[in-house]
Structures are given as C-alpha cells and as structure tokens.
Amino acid sequence: MPSELTDRINQLKTERKAVILAHNYTRGEVQDIADYVGDSLGLSQTAASTDAEVIVFCGVHFMAETAAILSPDKRVIMPDHHAGCPMADMVTPRELAELKKQHPEAIVVTYVNSTVEIKAMTDLCCTSANAVEVVRAIPDNQEVIFVPDRNLGSYVATQLGRKLILWNGFCPTHERIFPEHVELEKEKHPEALFVAHPECRPAVLEMADHIASTTGILRYCHENPATEFIIGTEIGLLHRLRIENPGKKFYPASPVSDCPNMKLITLEKIAWCLEDLSGEIKVPEETARAARRPIERMLEVTGA
Ligand code: CIZ
Ligand code: SF4
C-alpha cells in the first residue's frame, strides 16, 4: 500500500544507494518495504554480497553488528539503536571468562544471538538453523560450553544425546509461550500441526510436530501438504507465512509472543535514518576480526 512515507523511503533509498534488510520478526509494513527479508545469518550474508553503499538493518543490535563484522567496508545503519536483544545481554565477557576458567579444555559454541564481545571469546558460532550440525562436528570426548540460550542448548543436547555445559540465558519472547497456550490452540484447531522454534521451553518443544529456525519453519509450512499450522515463535513470522501460503491458515501459539525490540523498527525511523544516515553500527576492527573467526568456522563446518 504505497503512501507518502513509503514513497519517501524509496526515493531516499535510491539517493543513498541503500538497501533495506528486515528480519522475519519485524512489523509487517517493515517487511513489505524491505529488499530482503530473512534470518540473521541470511541477512548478514546478503549484506556482505550487495553492491549497495548503505545497509539499513531492520532487526536488533546483534544482527546489525554481525552484518557490520561481515561487511567491514560498508556503512550499516540501524533505524533504532535501542532495539537490543535481552538474551544477548544475559552473558557478559567477565562471566564467560569465569566459566572458561572452570573448563579450560572446553570448546565454546555461541549462538549468533550474542554480542560481538562474546563472539570474540568463542571458538564456533551457530544459528538456530545449524546448531545441531555445528555441535555434532565437535569430537564426542570434547567438553562443550553452549551460550547463551539454555533452550536451544538443551534441544541440541537432546538431539545429539550429549551433555553440554549450558549458559542460563533465554529469549523472554519465546519463554512466554507455555504448554497451556499450545494446548488451547490445539483444542481450537485439532487439524493443525504445531511448529516450534528451538528457543521455546523444552516442555513446549516436546509438543511440536516439527522444530526449526524461522527459515526452516517457512520451508516446512510451504512444503507440507497440511493447511493449518500453529506457530510457536515470534508472531512477526506469521506475516510472511500468510503471504507465501495464501491457501493455508496460521495461528500464533501465544498472542503475547511478540518481541518489543523488533517492533521498535518503524517506517518513520527507517525514513529518518536514511535522511541523515544516522545510527551507524561501528565495531572496532580488532574485536571484529576476533568475532569474524568463529562465524567463518561455522560456515566451514556447515559448508555454507
Ligand atoms: O537467527 C535468527 O535470525 C533468529 C533470531 C531466529 C531464526 O530462527 O531465524
Ligand atoms: Fe532477542 Fe528473543 Fe527478540 Fe529474538 S525474539 S531478538 S532472541 S528477545
């Protein structure tokens, strides 16, 4: 639905030679104006391969940081600097250093939902799409510390039948989805399949027909012949699910599983940051170099 504001954004985008990237959890209208919509790693890889001079990153801080790490020669700007991720902030460098001291032989695997400082102290990164594959590549006799998401970590441990040293972090948005919510939706929609993100509580994951990252959920719901799905993740993903599957029905597992940080990104703020090119994400080169290493190792291990 073109409006004065979307026209203005499109005009500024051309003037600034900018590209707009939006995460699957952002507001529908933000996804609609974006050039690419995807998960954090896909967006960072798109950022690295684009010819654009400016990247407007519509997502939370750690995602824009990852894009900046992988594209050191480009200007990455964020429409709202306050869009952080509480899970990423649940582990500090000092706390991780303490845990590493207690387990000096352990390999540290860090979920991409983490700050650049934590990535820089890490051996291997992973995403929700490849966490099982990344940990599987580490020899069985090797101790593994998994930070910061205890739910993703325990999902990986269950899948591999392996003990991991888990950090006690979590995503407040996914943690708000309770088994009772899923039960209620299943009663209302008995034919629907329940698809959940691994950031959900273990008790919720046990109820799932399928567990996947946002990209995996999109693929599964598109390819599966079922026509009704209960979705256990941030509700922004329903926008894309509905657009890409007009004949199917999607129900949020919980009406309150929205991420307040993702929702800080609005069309007005996109226009403002394009006007004055404010909100640049700068990562000191030394930290960026240290943080790039575990991301590159992840890409090697997964053959991406
Ligand atoms: O990695 C991402 O983008 C996140 C936070 C979720 C997902 O599963 O895509
Ligand atoms: Fe962080 Fe959760 Fe929001 Fe993702 S949905 S940005 S993990 S708080």
Side-chain angles (χ1 to χ4, degrees), residues 54-240:
V54 174
I55 293 155
V56 182
F57 203 104
C58 305
V60 294
H61 203 267
F62 78 81
M63 298 178 178
E65 260 179 4
T66 310
I69 294 167
L70 295 178
S71 314
D73 51 332
K74 290 182 192 136
R75 191 189 283 222
V76 178
I77 60 177
M78 257 187 96
D80 190 331
H81 252 253
H82 298 290
C85 169
M87 184 209 284
D89 293 335
M90 284 180 192
V91 54
T92 62
R94 189 193 283 225
E95 290 169 320
L96 181 56
E98 194 54 46
L99 185 65
K100 282 175 71 161
K101 219 170 356 161
Q102 289 165 22
H103 302 275
E105 302 299 324
I107 298 266
V108 180
V109 177
T110 296
Y111 187 25
V112 69
N113 295 26
S114 52
T115 62
V116 69
E117 290 81 11
I118 294 294
K119 288 189 180 80
M121 299 169 69
T122 292
D123 298 297
L124 265 164
C125 274
C126 74
T127 70
S128 48
N130 63 23
V132 174
E133 197 184 347
V134 165
V135 176
R136 189 185 283 127
I138 303 169
D140 274 343
N141 56 0
Q142 179 80 58
E143 258 192 322
V144 174
I145 294 174
F146 191 95
V147 286
D149 186 3
R150 67 179 182 213
N151 291 342
L152 179 63
S154 98
Y155 168 69
V156 172
T158 308
Q159 288 295 300
L160 297 176
R162 177 169 183 171
K163 207 166 162 343
L164 305 178
I165 302 161
L166 300 182
W167 193 261
N168 195 20
F170 60 90
C171 162
T173 295
H174 286 82
E175 199 79 355
R176 278 199 297 275
I177 303 174
F178 284 90
E180 292 80 356
H181 293 131
V182 181
E183 213 50 80
L184 205 67
E185 289 307 309
K186 280 183 173 231
E187 277 168 28
K188 283 199 275 184
H189 312 288
E191 300 299 319
L193 294 177
F194 174 46
V195 192
H197 192 279
E199 285 177 25
C200 290
R201 301 163 173 273
V204 167
L205 294 181
E206 277 172 25
M207 302 168 80
D209 295 294
H210 187 65
I211 298 169
S213 66
T214 56
T215 305
I217 294 176
L218 285 160
R219 193 182 316 121
Y220 178 81
C221 294
H222 192 69
E223 289 174 359
N224 196 293
T227 55
E228 290 185 74
F229 299 87
I230 298 164
I231 303 299
T233 192
E234 209 283 340
I235 52 180
L237 188 66
L238 275 86
H239 182 71
R240 219 177 130 186

